[in-house]
Amino acid sequence: DSTISNSSQQKLVAHPHQQRHHHHQQQQQKSSLDPVVQAVMCEYLGLKGWQSVAVQHCAGAHGLVLTHKQGWKLVYSGDTRPCAALVTAGSGATLLIHEATFESELSHHARAKRHSTLDEALQVAKDMGAYRTVLTHFSQRYPRLPGGYPADAKPWSARPLLAVDGAV
């Protein structure tokens, strides 16, 4: 992996299979992240900073790390395989929102489609040291939640929350 910084100090982490898109992505980052606009956005939202992190899904896929001036950190994975760059950038997250498209028994599907299993998402949360985790983006193939949910995990903060489409 290589890390590239543009003039606004925004980091883009490029994986070897994405490096052919590196120049195009860097140009997009430069044109869309005007330092003045970024500073105004951060001030307005109370953010200390934010970081776009290339993830392992398709070309141009990114996760997002928001760090607030009050000290909390929110990490959103987007669609991805477990990603070391996101774990590093999100270290010590207050809240991790991570996709868990497949049950662990379907890990071959997760690898082929560049998504994560429930167990892989929970391992990312553990590796990141996330205080709370919200799992989302469950495959529509399940009439119920994917198997393997740790409903009795202790402490309570180790129990992931579930975001399910259409749930009220």
Side-chain angles (χ1 to χ4, degrees):
D1 296 353
S2 60
T3 302
I4 302 97
S5 294
N6 66 20
S7 60
S8 67
Q9 297 304 307
Q10 195 64 31
K11 291 183 180 178
L12 170 67
V13 180
H15 297 279
H17 71 277
Q18 294 173 322
Q19 295 218 359
R20 65 183 175 275
H21 302 288
H22 161 88
H23 180 70
H24 178 68
Q25 287 175 340
Q26 189 176 18
Q27 291 300 89
Q28 285 180 328
Q29 291 284 326
K30 283 183 180 179
S31 63
S32 64
L33 297 178
D34 181 283
V36 174
V37 172
Q38 182 176 347
V40 169
M41 281 178 36
C42 284
E43 183 61 33
Y44 181 76
L45 297 172
L47 296 176
K48 180 178 172 183
W50 59 281
Q51 182 178 358
S52 175
V53 180
V55 295
Q56 299 171 4
H57 186 62
C58 61
H62 287 78
L64 178 65
V65 179
L66 301 175
T67 305
H68 197 270
K69 290 178 183 177
Q70 293 178 343
W72 53 262
K73 184 188 286 188
L74 181 140
V75 179
Y76 175 69
S77 73
D79 290 351
T80 187
R81 291 289 300 138
C83 180
L86 190 66
V87 169
T88 299
S91 179
T94 309
L95 178 64
L96 167 64
I97 303 168
H98 201 288
E99 69 113 313
T101 304
F102 292 97
E103 290 183 340
S104 295
E105 293 76 30
L106 297 175
S107 61
H108 59 286
H109 288 298
R111 282 190 302 279
K113 297 180 186 216
R114 296 186 180 178
H115 285 284
S116 297
T117 67
L118 185 135
D119 285 340
E120 288 171 334
L122 292 176
Q123 186 62 50
V124 167
K126 182 179 178 182
D127 293 347
M128 188 180 285
Y131 175 71
R132 290 297 298 189
T133 304
V134 174
L135 299 176
T136 188
H137 194 52
F138 301 105
S139 175
Q140 295 299 312
R141 77 179 72 221
Y142 302 122
R144 57 178 176 72
L145 294 175
Y149 175 75
D152 57 353
K154 304 277 189 232
W156 183 80
S157 62
R159 238 176 264 169
L161 303 171
L162 304 175
V164 182
D165 293 348
V168 180

